[in-house]
PDB file of all heavy atoms in Angstrom:
ATOM      1  N   GLN A   3       3.349   1.056 -38.747  1.00 48.00           N
ATOM      2  CA  GLN A   3       2.697   2.084 -37.929  1.00 48.00           C
ATOM      3  C   GLN A   3       3.336   3.388 -38.242  1.00 48.00           C
ATOM      4  O   GLN A   3       4.416   3.551 -38.839  1.00 48.00           O
ATOM      5  CB  GLN A   3       3.006   1.752 -36.401  1.00 48.00           C
ATOM      6  CG  GLN A   3       2.461   0.398 -35.965  1.00 48.00           C
ATOM      7  CD  GLN A   3       0.974   0.260 -36.101  1.00 48.00           C
ATOM      8  OE1 GLN A   3       0.267   1.286 -36.115  1.00 48.00           O
ATOM      9  NE2 GLN A   3       0.475  -0.946 -36.208  1.00 48.00           N
ATOM     10  N   GLU A  18     -14.703  24.098 -16.202  1.00 91.00           N
ATOM     11  CA  GLU A  18     -15.239  23.643 -14.944  1.00 91.00           C
ATOM     12  C   GLU A  18     -14.166  23.085 -14.005  1.00 91.00           C
ATOM     13  O   GLU A  18     -14.516  22.677 -12.925  1.00 91.00           O
ATOM     14  CB  GLU A  18     -16.339  22.648 -15.155  1.00 91.00           C
ATOM     15  CG  GLU A  18     -17.445  23.059 -16.047  1.00 91.00           C
ATOM     16  CD  GLU A  18     -17.259  22.658 -17.483  1.00 91.00           C
ATOM     17  OE1 GLU A  18     -16.083  22.572 -17.961  1.00 91.00           O
ATOM     18  OE2 GLU A  18     -18.178  22.405 -18.197  1.00 91.00           O
ATOM     19  N   ARG A  48       9.560  22.076  -8.418  1.00 95.00           N
ATOM     20  CA  ARG A  48       9.117  21.074  -9.334  1.00 95.00           C
ATOM     21  C   ARG A  48       7.643  21.197  -9.784  1.00 95.00           C
ATOM     22  O   ARG A  48       7.354  20.776 -10.907  1.00 95.00           O
ATOM     23  CB  ARG A  48       9.416  19.663  -8.766  1.00 95.00           C
ATOM     24  CG  ARG A  48      10.808  19.376  -8.574  1.00 95.00           C
ATOM     25  CD  ARG A  48      11.153  18.018  -7.929  1.00 95.00           C
ATOM     26  NE  ARG A  48      12.578  17.832  -7.780  1.00 95.00           N
ATOM     27  CZ  ARG A  48      13.075  16.752  -7.281  1.00 95.00           C
ATOM     28  NH1 ARG A  48      12.306  15.687  -6.999  1.00 95.00           N
ATOM     29  NH2 ARG A  48      14.420  16.650  -7.142  1.00 95.00           N
ATOM     30  N   VAL A  56       1.777  25.886  -2.206  1.00 96.00           N
ATOM     31  CA  VAL A  56       2.240  24.576  -1.799  1.00 96.00           C
ATOM     32  C   VAL A  56       1.971  24.411  -0.301  1.00 96.00           C
ATOM     33  O   VAL A  56       1.551  23.351   0.114  1.00 96.00           O
ATOM     34  CB  VAL A  56       3.693  24.405  -2.094  1.00 96.00           C
ATOM     35  CG1 VAL A  56       4.301  23.112  -1.473  1.00 96.00           C
ATOM     36  CG2 VAL A  56       3.966  24.353  -3.583  1.00 96.00           C
ATOM     37  N   ALA A  92     -12.842  -1.182  -6.792  1.00 96.00           N
ATOM     38  CA  ALA A  92     -13.752  -0.992  -7.860  1.00 96.00           C
ATOM     39  C   ALA A  92     -13.467  -1.947  -9.043  1.00 96.00           C
ATOM     40  O   ALA A  92     -14.397  -2.517  -9.662  1.00 96.00           O
ATOM     41  CB  ALA A  92     -13.793   0.432  -8.381  1.00 96.00           C
ATOM     42  N   GLY A 143       1.113  -1.058  -7.984  1.00 96.00           N
ATOM     43  CA  GLY A 143       1.156   0.322  -8.386  1.00 96.00           C
ATOM     44  C   GLY A 143       2.274   0.762  -9.295  1.00 96.00           C
ATOM     45  O   GLY A 143       2.296   1.768  -9.946  1.00 96.00           O
ATOM     46  N   ASP A 144       3.375  -0.055  -9.301  1.00 95.00           N
ATOM     47  CA  ASP A 144       4.476   0.225 -10.192  1.00 95.00           C
ATOM     48  C   ASP A 144       4.085   0.260 -11.603  1.00 95.00           C
ATOM     49  O   ASP A 144       3.304  -0.624 -12.055  1.00 95.00           O
ATOM     50  CB  ASP A 144       5.671  -0.759  -9.961  1.00 95.00           C
ATOM     51  CG  ASP A 144       6.583  -0.291  -8.806  1.00 95.00           C
ATOM     52  OD1 ASP A 144       6.656   0.907  -8.571  1.00 95.00           O
ATOM     53  OD2 ASP A 144       7.187  -1.191  -8.142  1.00 95.00           O
ATOM     54  N   TRP A 169       2.729   5.814 -28.404  1.00 94.00           N
ATOM     55  CA  TRP A 169       3.835   5.063 -27.889  1.00 94.00           C
ATOM     56  C   TRP A 169       5.152   5.483 -28.550  1.00 94.00           C
ATOM     57  O   TRP A 169       6.173   5.603 -27.908  1.00 94.00           O
ATOM     58  CB  TRP A 169       3.529   3.599 -28.202  1.00 94.00           C
ATOM     59  CG  TRP A 169       4.688   2.650 -27.863  1.00 94.00           C
ATOM     60  CD1 TRP A 169       5.056   2.244 -26.595  1.00 94.00           C
ATOM     61  CD2 TRP A 169       5.541   1.988 -28.812  1.00 94.00           C
ATOM     62  NE1 TRP A 169       6.161   1.391 -26.711  1.00 94.00           N
ATOM     63  CE2 TRP A 169       6.477   1.205 -28.073  1.00 94.00           C
ATOM     64  CE3 TRP A 169       5.697   2.061 -30.177  1.00 94.00           C
ATOM     65  CZ2 TRP A 169       7.512   0.469 -28.589  1.00 94.00           C
ATOM     66  CZ3 TRP A 169       6.729   1.275 -30.774  1.00 94.00           C
ATOM     67  CH2 TRP A 169       7.586   0.490 -29.955  1.00 94.00           C
ATOM     68  N   ARG A 213       6.789  -8.833 -31.329  1.00 94.00           N
ATOM     69  CA  ARG A 213       6.450  -9.587 -30.152  1.00 94.00           C
ATOM     70  C   ARG A 213       4.911  -9.517 -29.884  1.00 94.00           C
ATOM     71  O   ARG A 213       4.315 -10.436 -29.397  1.00 94.00           O
ATOM     72  CB  ARG A 213       7.155  -8.998 -28.872  1.00 94.00           C
ATOM     73  CG  ARG A 213       8.653  -9.429 -28.810  1.00 94.00           C
ATOM     74  CD  ARG A 213       9.288  -9.189 -27.513  1.00 94.00           C
ATOM     75  NE  ARG A 213       9.482  -7.819 -27.251  1.00 94.00           N
ATOM     76  CZ  ARG A 213       8.918  -7.114 -26.312  1.00 94.00           C
ATOM     77  NH1 ARG A 213       8.056  -7.639 -25.535  1.00 94.00           N
ATOM     78  NH2 ARG A 213       9.227  -5.831 -26.224  1.00 94.00           N
ATOM     79  N   ALA A 244     -17.142 -10.564 -22.116  1.00 93.00           N
ATOM     80  CA  ALA A 244     -17.246 -10.069 -23.460  1.00 93.00           C
ATOM     81  C   ALA A 244     -16.009 -10.390 -24.340  1.00 93.00           C
ATOM     82  O   ALA A 244     -15.934 -10.001 -25.480  1.00 93.00           O
ATOM     83  CB  ALA A 244     -17.495  -8.563 -23.427  1.00 93.00           C
ATOM     84  N   ALA A 297     -15.380  -5.325   1.029  1.00 38.00           N
ATOM     85  CA  ALA A 297     -16.053  -4.011   0.849  1.00 38.00           C
ATOM     86  C   ALA A 297     -16.473  -3.319   2.139  1.00 38.00           C
ATOM     87  O   ALA A 297     -16.652  -2.155   2.237  1.00 38.00           O
ATOM     88  CB  ALA A 297     -17.289  -4.245  -0.013  1.00 38.00           C
ATOM     89  N   PRO A 324      -7.504  29.098   7.906  1.00 80.00           N
ATOM     90  CA  PRO A 324      -7.325  29.682   6.503  1.00 80.00           C
ATOM     91  C   PRO A 324      -6.512  28.851   5.562  1.00 80.00           C
ATOM     92  O   PRO A 324      -6.659  29.041   4.386  1.00 80.00           O
ATOM     93  CB  PRO A 324      -6.711  31.010   6.838  1.00 80.00           C
ATOM     94  CG  PRO A 324      -5.952  30.815   8.126  1.00 80.00           C
ATOM     95  CD  PRO A 324      -6.794  29.849   8.925  1.00 80.00           C
ATOM     96  N   SER A 329     -12.240  23.006  -1.403  1.00 91.00           N
ATOM     97  CA  SER A 329     -12.504  22.578  -2.738  1.00 91.00           C
ATOM     98  C   SER A 329     -11.508  21.477  -3.090  1.00 91.00           C
ATOM     99  O   SER A 329     -11.865  20.465  -3.863  1.00 91.00           O
ATOM    100  CB  SER A 329     -12.423  23.680  -3.764  1.00 91.00           C
ATOM    101  OG  SER A 329     -11.242  24.355  -3.792  1.00 91.00           O
ATOM    102  N   ALA A 424       6.912  -4.033  19.606  1.00 97.00           N
ATOM    103  CA  ALA A 424       7.580  -5.331  19.548  1.00 97.00           C
ATOM    104  C   ALA A 424       6.671  -6.307  18.882  1.00 97.00           C
ATOM    105  O   ALA A 424       5.397  -6.189  18.989  1.00 97.00           O
ATOM    106  CB  ALA A 424       8.035  -5.816  20.929  1.00 97.00           C
ATOM    107  N   LEU A 426       6.082 -10.809  18.461  1.00 95.00           N
ATOM    108  CA  LEU A 426       6.421 -12.178  19.161  1.00 95.00           C
ATOM    109  C   LEU A 426       7.311 -12.882  18.184  1.00 95.00           C
ATOM    110  O   LEU A 426       7.012 -13.100  17.020  1.00 95.00           O
ATOM    111  CB  LEU A 426       5.105 -12.918  19.357  1.00 95.00           C
ATOM    112  CG  LEU A 426       5.142 -14.064  20.309  1.00 95.00           C
ATOM    113  CD1 LEU A 426       5.622 -13.629  21.724  1.00 95.00           C
ATOM    114  CD2 LEU A 426       3.809 -14.789  20.459  1.00 95.00           C
ATOM    115  N   GLY A 428       9.017 -16.509  18.520  1.00 90.00           N
ATOM    116  CA  GLY A 428       9.232 -17.669  19.451  1.00 90.00           C
ATOM    117  C   GLY A 428       8.667 -17.363  20.765  1.00 90.00           C
ATOM    118  O   GLY A 428       7.595 -16.940  20.983  1.00 90.00           O
ATOM    119  N   ALA A 523       1.459  -1.736  28.196  1.00 97.00           N
ATOM    120  CA  ALA A 523       1.355  -2.033  26.740  1.00 97.00           C
ATOM    121  C   ALA A 523      -0.021  -2.301  26.301  1.00 97.00           C
ATOM    122  O   ALA A 523      -0.859  -2.775  27.158  1.00 97.00           O
ATOM    123  CB  ALA A 523       2.205  -3.293  26.447  1.00 97.00           C
ATOM    124  N   VAL A 539       4.783   1.935  26.756  1.00 95.00           N
ATOM    125  CA  VAL A 539       5.504   3.016  27.275  1.00 95.00           C
ATOM    126  C   VAL A 539       6.258   2.529  28.471  1.00 95.00           C
ATOM    127  O   VAL A 539       5.559   1.855  29.419  1.00 95.00           O
ATOM    128  CB  VAL A 539       4.520   4.213  27.704  1.00 95.00           C
ATOM    129  CG1 VAL A 539       5.332   5.338  28.394  1.00 95.00           C
ATOM    130  CG2 VAL A 539       3.857   4.783  26.410  1.00 95.00           C
ATOM    131  N   SER A 540       7.512   2.836  28.596  1.00 92.00           N
ATOM    132  CA  SER A 540       8.274   2.398  29.728  1.00 92.00           C
ATOM    133  C   SER A 540       8.593   3.617  30.652  1.00 92.00           C
ATOM    134  O   SER A 540       8.922   4.708  30.169  1.00 92.00           O
ATOM    135  CB  SER A 540       9.579   1.706  29.325  1.00 92.00           C
ATOM    136  OG  SER A 540       9.341   0.600  28.564  1.00 92.00           O
TER     137      SER A 540
END
Side-chain angles (χ1 to χ4, degrees):
Q3 303 298 338
E18 304 94 330
R48 294 180 181 184
V56 172
D144 274 331
W169 175 76
R213 286 194 286 116
S329 59
L426 195 61
V539 173
S540 300

